[in-house]
């Protein structure tokens, strides 16, 4: 019983730390993205509130929180609110299976820096990715707006297509590692001394595309396509309700999926111990944020696909590629004796 | 551009009975009775190859027996000739010609809206700019310029506090009617013949429409079964205003039509008036005009590129374009004193001489801009997503160009080398060396390439203008003040008696134009902007018709969007590049 109590407290602390850190980082990622966009677009970005505009996320949060809440006429009110939860919760739950570093000992207890070391970590990632679409669909349906409706339909078709591709792309890594636990995938990469991106470059590219599609980033941001749908599925939301959607999609999802990409393809926290005791964590965050940076960079450079093109690419090009990659990997693993 | 030559005119008179020749000083054409009109127009198109529809409008003569006279302007691309055909609307109606030229559809709707002329056989004779249920016809001569006050619009103070005595505001409470919500709803319901499940209101205020256009999309899933365009949100009655102003007074209004290329509008208008008044323009003024018109063209195309890319999700191109636009704006501001609606040209010349250092700034800008243009190409031209969004989207055939009266880059992208700078040189274009880029397929991508190349050609033109202007003496005249209808520059007005008297005379009594007609058009960034001026003498035009390139270019949109998706709609609309100030006027 005492053991359970300690485990519970440890987990609660971990959850608290994680949620706090992740939400804070997401808020500051908005600042970073705006600064980056400013730099890319030959302008300054936020620079008025606080030094270097560093208090801008805070100001935005206050602004969003103090806005008048408006529920559109004819809206399905419970679903309207449920949509926000359905958008936020899965993207937060994604973090529960991300290991930020190796085990360490504190007060004589072994502590793993992840919330739940389940042996089906990757499966949870898929599950949460699929659940996240309900946020979009609910918001589109409940808003009683045609723009929102069309936007959510687009997102649904994209998610369906890319979940399949994502699954098949990741299967290659799973075959190599022989496990679907996130921790063990990282450990097997450290053990073999090779990051899986070297064995699975195709899978990584596919994963990257899926990541962009799932998080609704350019060039796959069709569900919000501001020129056609005036930000699409969240058009009827205001104030913090509106803020929750991009927070979940554009920031939480991108960070989480980048972290998972690092786990799958870049050896997780592995790296030379040049930063002392915190070296694994720093490596992990460094890799993750390099990927996040890459996503932001794409966002501010590329045009956007058409809805039908995106699904077409997924079904006609990416899925066969993923399958071929899987088959080749399976054969090679089988011939070389596997694991 | 010459009007129909005398030989052809004689031959047609011989071949087609019941047609009278009609000859003005500046244009030439035919007059035909209403019952023979349609046959004659079809004959002109099929036999005489006047295939390109330019414009149709109506003139109101209240004292005349039939009152309304229809005017058709056509173009023969093989001979490079125009012809004007006039016909009286006997009994207040004209036969529709939309089955001959589809572009006439909107022109006829506009004439119906403004004059109340009925078009027999028109398949969708709805109001063009006004709302359904509006009972007046604004361009009729008996419609007063201030409108018909018939509706009371109290101020907010009065709604809150009730009527006070004395009244809280001293403005008139009775106003011209404005559409109510019911009117707008009725307008919407009457337009679209619904076929599918979902009607999407796209506009009037929507980021994708670049202004206040209102599209109705009849959607099946994401594909558009049919669509309708409701214009008029920015209708200000420019043509009515023009009838009530002196020629020089109307000039600033032209800025507010296609507000992105103000100087090009002015150039078109000023060319028309100068032709009517027969004013010679000094060489320096012509080169200054050309240089600024081309700067404005780059400016306008940059806005198109930026917003077009923004619509397709390329957010950064937008700001890169605005960076360059800012520099052009500064050059214009430094010379004209205004950035957007610059009112820089004057009848007979330009308002100011070149500001000191302008040519150096322009040279520096042009030198730098070539590299910037390369940057835009790197970002978009070979980008696979860009290609996927633009290739094979919205293909316009050559026939449709003629049929719908398309012009400008939209026509040229379809392979029709219709560029008025070459075909009817105005300002200094006949003395300059430049190429006309022409597309092959006529899709969105070709229109993109044509516009990009046009910017490069504009750079060439500007370079030549700068070279020429540098060689000119500093005190060369920039306005032809020897003509009695030209207002001399202000510094002369203050210093010399003759100039002051001339200035007074023009400002008080107007330009006293001869009783003539002229149709002059210029190559605007958005297509052919033409001014048809019907003068009965005096300082004000009797009728001034503005042939808007953007309106005709937009008129093909409902056809192109059929069966395509909403995402294509923005790509398509961006490539047609309408500016509502000009479509609505």
């Amino acid at each position: 019983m005492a053991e359970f109590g300690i485990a519970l407290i440890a987990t609660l602390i971990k959850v608290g730390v994680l949620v706090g850190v992740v939400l804070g980082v997401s808020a500051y990622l908005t600042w970073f993205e705006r600064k980056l966009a400013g730099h890319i677009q030959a302008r300054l970005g936020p620079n008025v509130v606080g030094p270097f505009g560093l208090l801008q996320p805070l100001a935005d949060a206050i602004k969003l929180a103090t806005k008048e809440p408006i529920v559109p006429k004819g809206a399905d009110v419970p679903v309207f609110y449920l949509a926000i939860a359905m958008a936020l919760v899965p993207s937060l739950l994604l973090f529960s299976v991300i290991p930020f570093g190796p085990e360490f000992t504190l007060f004589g207890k072994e502590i793993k820096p992840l919330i739940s070391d389940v042996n089906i970590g990757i499966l949870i990632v898929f599950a949460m990715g699929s659940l996240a679409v309900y946020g979009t669909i609910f918001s589109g349906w409940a808003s009683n707006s045609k723009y929102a409706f069309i936007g959510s339909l687009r997102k649904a078709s994209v998610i369906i297509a890319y979940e399949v591709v994502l699954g098949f792309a990741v299967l290659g890594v799973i075959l190599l590692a022989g496990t679907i636990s996130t921790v063990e995938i990282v450990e097997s990469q450290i053990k073999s001394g090779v990051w899986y991106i070297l064995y699975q470059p195709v899978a990584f590219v596919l994963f990257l595309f899926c990541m962009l599609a799932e998080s609704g980033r350019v060039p796959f941001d069709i569900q919000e396509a501001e020129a056609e749908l005036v930000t699409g599925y969240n058009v009827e939301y205001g104030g913090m309700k509106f803020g929750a959607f991009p927070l979940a999609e554009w920031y939480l999802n991108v960070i989480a999926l980048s972290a998972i990409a690092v786990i799958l393809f870049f050896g997780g926290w592995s790296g030379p111990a040049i930063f002392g005791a915190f070296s694994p964590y720093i490596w992990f965050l460094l890799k993750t944020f390099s990927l996040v940076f890459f996503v932001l960079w794409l966002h501010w450079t590329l045009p956007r696909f058409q809805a039908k093109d995106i699904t077409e690419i997924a079904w006609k090009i990416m899925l066969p590629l993923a399958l071929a990659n899987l088959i080749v990997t399976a054969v090679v693993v089988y011939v070389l004796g596997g694991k | 551009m010459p009007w129909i030559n005398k030989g052809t005119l004689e031959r047609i008179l011989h071949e087609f009975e019941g047609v009278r020749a009609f000859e003005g000083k500046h244009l030439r054409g035919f007059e035909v009775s209403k019952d023979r009109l349609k046959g004659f127009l079809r004959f002109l198109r099929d036999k005489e190859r006047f295939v390109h529809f330019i414009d149709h409008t109506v003139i109101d003569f209240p004292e005349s027996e039939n009152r309304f006279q229809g005017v058709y302007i056509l173009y023969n691309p093989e001979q490079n000739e125009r012809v004007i055909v006039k016909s009286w609307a006997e009994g207040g109606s004209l036969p529709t010609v939309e089955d001959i030229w589809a572009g006439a559809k909107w022109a006829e709707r506009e004439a119906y809206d403004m004059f109340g002329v009925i078009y027999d056989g028109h398949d969708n004779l709805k109001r063009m700019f006004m709302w359904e249920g509006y009972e007046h016809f604004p361009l009729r001569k008996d419609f007063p310029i201030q409108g018909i006050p018939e509706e009371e619009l109290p101020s907010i103070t009065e709604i809150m506090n009730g009527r006070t005595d004395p009244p809280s505001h001293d403005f008139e409470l009775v106003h011209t009617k404005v559409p109510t919500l019911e009117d707008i709803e009725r307008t919407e319901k009457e337009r679209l013949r619904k076929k599918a499940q979902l009607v999407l209101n796209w506009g009037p205020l929507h980021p994708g429409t670049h202004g206040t256009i209102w599209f109705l999309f009849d959607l099946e899933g994401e594909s558009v079964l049919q669509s309708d365009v409701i214009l008029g949100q920015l209708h200000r009655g420019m043509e009515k205003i023009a009838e009530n102003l002196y020629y020089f007074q109307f000039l600033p209004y032209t800025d507010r039509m296609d507000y992105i290329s103000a100087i090009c509008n002015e150039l078109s208008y000023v060319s028309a008036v100068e032709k009517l008044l027969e004013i010679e323009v000094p060489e320096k003024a012509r080169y200054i005009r050309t240089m600024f018109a081309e700067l404005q063209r780059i400016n306008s195309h940059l806005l198109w590129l930026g917003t077009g890319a923004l619509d397709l999700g390329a957010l950064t191109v937008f700001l890169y374009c605005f960076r360059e636009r800012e520099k052009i704006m500064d050059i214009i501001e430094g010379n004209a004193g205004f950035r957007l609606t610059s009112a820089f040209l004057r009848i007979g010349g330009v308002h100011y001489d070149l500001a000191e250092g302008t040519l150096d700034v322009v040279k520096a800008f042009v030198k730098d801009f070539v590299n910037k243009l390369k940057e835009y190409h790197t970002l978009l031209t070979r980008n696979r997503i860009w290609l996927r969004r633009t290739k094979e989207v919205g293909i316009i055939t050559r026939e449709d160009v003629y049929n719908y009266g398309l012009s400008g880059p939209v026509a040229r992208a379809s392979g029709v080398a219709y560029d008025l700078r070459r075909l009817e040189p105005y300002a200094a274009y006949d003395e300059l060396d430049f190429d006309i880029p022409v597309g092959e397929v006529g899709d969105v991508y070709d229109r993109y390439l044509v516009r990009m190349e046009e910017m490069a050609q504009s750079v060439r033109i500007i370079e030549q203008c700068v070279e020429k202007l540098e060689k000119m003496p500093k005190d060369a005249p920039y306005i032809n003040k020897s003509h009695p209808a030209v207002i001399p520059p202000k510094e002369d007005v203050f210093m010399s008696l003759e100039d002051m008297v001339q200035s007074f005379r023009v400002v008080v009594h107007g330009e006293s134009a001869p009783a003539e007609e002229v149709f002059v058009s210029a190559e605007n960034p958005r297509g052919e902007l033409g001014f048809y001026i019907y003068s009965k003498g005096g300082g004000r035009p009797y009728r001034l018709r503005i042939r808007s390139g953007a309106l005709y270019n937009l008129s093909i949109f409902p056809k192109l969007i059929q069966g395509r998706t909403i995402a294509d709609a923005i790509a398509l609309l961006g490539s047609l590049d309408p500016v509502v100030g000009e479509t609505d006027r």
Side-chain angles (χ1 to χ4, degrees), chain A residues 177-198:
Chain A
T179 169
I180 50 173
S181 149
T182 44
V183 180
E184 280 169 34
I185 288 176
V186 174
E187 275 166 357
S188 76
Q189 286 182 70
I190 293 172
K191 207 159 61 187
S192 63
V194 182
W195 291 355
Y196 283 150
I197 185 165
L198 290 178

Side-chain angles (χ1 to χ4, degrees), chain A residues 80-111:
Chain A
F80 189 73
Y81 284 101
L82 184 64
I84 305 166
M86 285 307 289
L88 267 178
V89 170
S91 30
L92 274 174
L93 281 180
L94 272 179
F95 286 95
S96 64
V97 291
I98 294 171
F100 290 87
E103 282 179 279
F104 59 92
T105 320
L106 198 68
F107 308 124
K109 291 265 336 162
E110 290 270 302
I111 292 178

Side-chain angles (χ1 to χ4, degrees), chain B residues 272-283:
Chain B
V273 176
E274 278 159 4
K275 191 163 186 185
L276 180 73
L277 297 169
E278 292 170 26
I279 301 172
E280 283 282 314
V281 184
E283 193 186 21

Side-chain angles (χ1 to χ4, degrees), chain B residues 23 50 58 78 81 101 137 144 153 156 195 236 281 284 300 309 319 372 381 393 409-410 461 468 554:
Chain B
E23 193 152 355
F50 284 94
V58 166
E78 285 152 35
E81 281 176 348
W101 292 283
F137 300 102
L153 292 176
I156 289 181
K195 284 181 178 167
R236 292 148 294 178
V281 184
K284 189 174 188 183
S300 164
L319 279 132
K372 292 296 188 304
T381 307
V393 175
V410 178
I461 297 175
K468 191 91 181 179
L554 185 64

Side-chain angles (χ1 to χ4, degrees), chain A residues 279-292:
Chain A
S279 187
Y281 302 96
I282 291 177
W283 274 117
F284 187 80
L285 292 178
L286 214 59
K287 290 174 192 171
T288 307
F289 280 98
S290 310
L291 262 180
V292 171

